[in-house]
Amino acid sequence: MRVNRRIDNLTARHEIVVNPKLVVAGLMMGWLLSGMRPADAQTCTYTLSHTSASMSVDGGSSIVSVVTAPGCAWTSVSQTSWVGVSTGASNNGPGTTTVFATPNTDTTARVGFVTIAGRRFTVTQAGSLVAGSWDGGWSLTALHLSPARPHDLFLYSRAAGTWLEAVSRGDGNWTYTPASAWSPAWGVTTGDLDNDGYDDLHLYNTDDGTYFVCLNDRAGGFRYTSSRWDGGWVITPGHFNGDRLKDLALYNPTTGLLVGALSRGDGTFAYAVTTVSPGFLMYPGDMNGDGLTDLLAYNPTTGAVWQAFSTGAGGFALASLGIWSASWTIVMGDLNGDGLADAFLYNVTSGAFFQGLAKSGGGFNMFGGTWSSGWRVAPGDVNGDGRADIVLYNPTTGVAFKCFSDGAGGFTYSSFMLPESRQIVILDMNGDGRDDLFTYDAAIGGWAYVISR
């Protein structure tokens, strides 16, 4: 270091010139005397124990360790709305942070991010849609193959006669019985015909009238009783006399005869006959709260509507509701949670719909609206609130809606996507009291399901 002194316009100035080599040497000497190394001057680096995590549709968490020097500060900040940080949002030195994901109510998978100590952490979460494949050609029926279980599925090929049972494991997976074969073309109705807690089957050939009662043997098979009725009956299951055995209502749309077939528990029936009129469709539900299954009779051509109230002895007391317009699609369910079966009407061409909330003395209070056309409709309690909701599905686009009943004639909505061109079965696949959605493409065998959350 040197000092220059000069006179400039009679003003004295001193210039100090610093030699950088001497400065570096002085700093090195200071580090050596103090025992420090140059890297110890808080040049912080950060390493994450892992940089990604996969989480289930129900959500989850992941603990991430951050390796750094003491005194080095860092933070964890979510960059995605459904991803959060529950612990370790602000830290100093080595530590951990916990990243979590909320349940995914969408059918598709999603990706989110958290910035941890300046590093990107990626969260991948599965969607609620689970897919797989069976053979094509099955008709599906939901049933209980054992007591206190989630719903199972009975698969039957009307073309080949082959059948098997898909027993739910309660987690969305199935255990299958070995496939067996009957003759083809049976119509299958399910219900506990002998009150043992296991659903049974009723097979009916509408052409020649032959039927079989197939009582569940609790080992993946059935005990058979066979007889013959006339052909042409349309069969609706229900409880028509209050004895806890599932009964059958037989209606002939050509003759107008309505027969209550009361199960005796051994594969045989007692009968009671009521005369209605030809051309009706029958929709079952307890519309007056007496614990017996009634029938809503609707003629889709003329619009004529009757309520057929069970008498308790297999017969029905008829009450006319006059004339509705033609061509309604009708499903039944308790839309307001009052214990009475209500009617939901939808016109697939115009999009018009009505909630018909049943009155205990007969008839309905009607609440209407309009949706777009082309929906398939199915009832089920998909949110577990004790009220039947409506599931809409467009088989052309795959767009679907859960329409949550508000109990007063209205809905709130949640949209999601399903595969196209599917049949829908509403059932409780995991036993949580909420109905789930199972879809199947009989042409190619593809299936998919959505667990309600």
Side-chain angles (χ1 to χ4, degrees), residues 275-369:
T275 300
V276 192
S277 295
F280 282 89
L281 301 175
M282 298 293 174
Y283 303 94
D286 181 4
M287 291 179 283
N288 59 1
D290 64 357
L292 302 177
T293 304
D294 309 307
L295 298 173
L296 180 67
Y298 170 67
N299 188 314
T301 302
T302 66
V305 186
W306 291 76
Q307 285 178 298
F309 293 105
S310 290
T311 64
F316 297 89
L318 302 179
S320 175
L321 296 182
I323 302 295
W324 292 346
S325 56
S327 303
W328 291 109
T329 296
I330 299 178
V331 296
M332 303 293 287
D334 186 359
L335 294 166
N336 59 356
D338 65 354
L340 305 181
D342 307 308
F344 180 81
L345 289 66
Y346 173 68
N347 189 304
V348 70
T349 302
S350 70
F353 71 87
F354 283 94
Q355 283 195 44
L357 302 183
K359 298 185 288 187
S360 59
F364 299 93
N365 293 315
M366 308 298 285
F367 300 85

Side-chain angles (χ1 to χ4, degrees), residues 133-182:
S133 181
W134 293 331
D135 295 334
W138 297 111
S139 295
L140 308 184
T141 305
L143 75 172
H144 288 286
L145 292 170
S146 61
R149 291 183 60 96
H151 278 106
D152 308 302
L153 285 173
F154 182 79
L155 285 67
Y156 174 66
S157 170
R158 290 180 61 89
T162 309
W163 64 269
L164 60 85
E165 296 171 345
V167 181
S168 175
R169 299 177 189 169
D171 59 358
N173 295 304
W174 312 89
T175 299
Y176 302 95
T177 61
S180 300
W182 295 326

Side-chain angles (χ1 to χ4, degrees), residues 192-203:
D192 186 0
L193 296 168
D194 56 0
N195 194 31
D196 64 352
Y198 293 74
D199 276 347
D200 310 301
L201 303 179
H202 185 274
L203 309 181

Side-chain angles (χ1 to χ4, degrees), residues 198-216:
Y198 293 74
D199 276 347
D200 310 301
L201 303 179
H202 185 274
L203 309 181
Y204 173 65
N205 188 314
T206 190
D207 293 326
D208 66 12
T210 303
Y211 74 82
F212 280 85
V213 174
C214 312
L215 298 180
N216 194 325

Side-chain angles (χ1 to χ4, degrees), residues 358-379:
K359 298 185 288 187
S360 59
F364 299 93
N365 293 315
M366 308 298 285
F367 300 85
T370 303
W371 292 328
S372 56
S373 60
W375 298 106
R376 293 179 183 172
V377 298

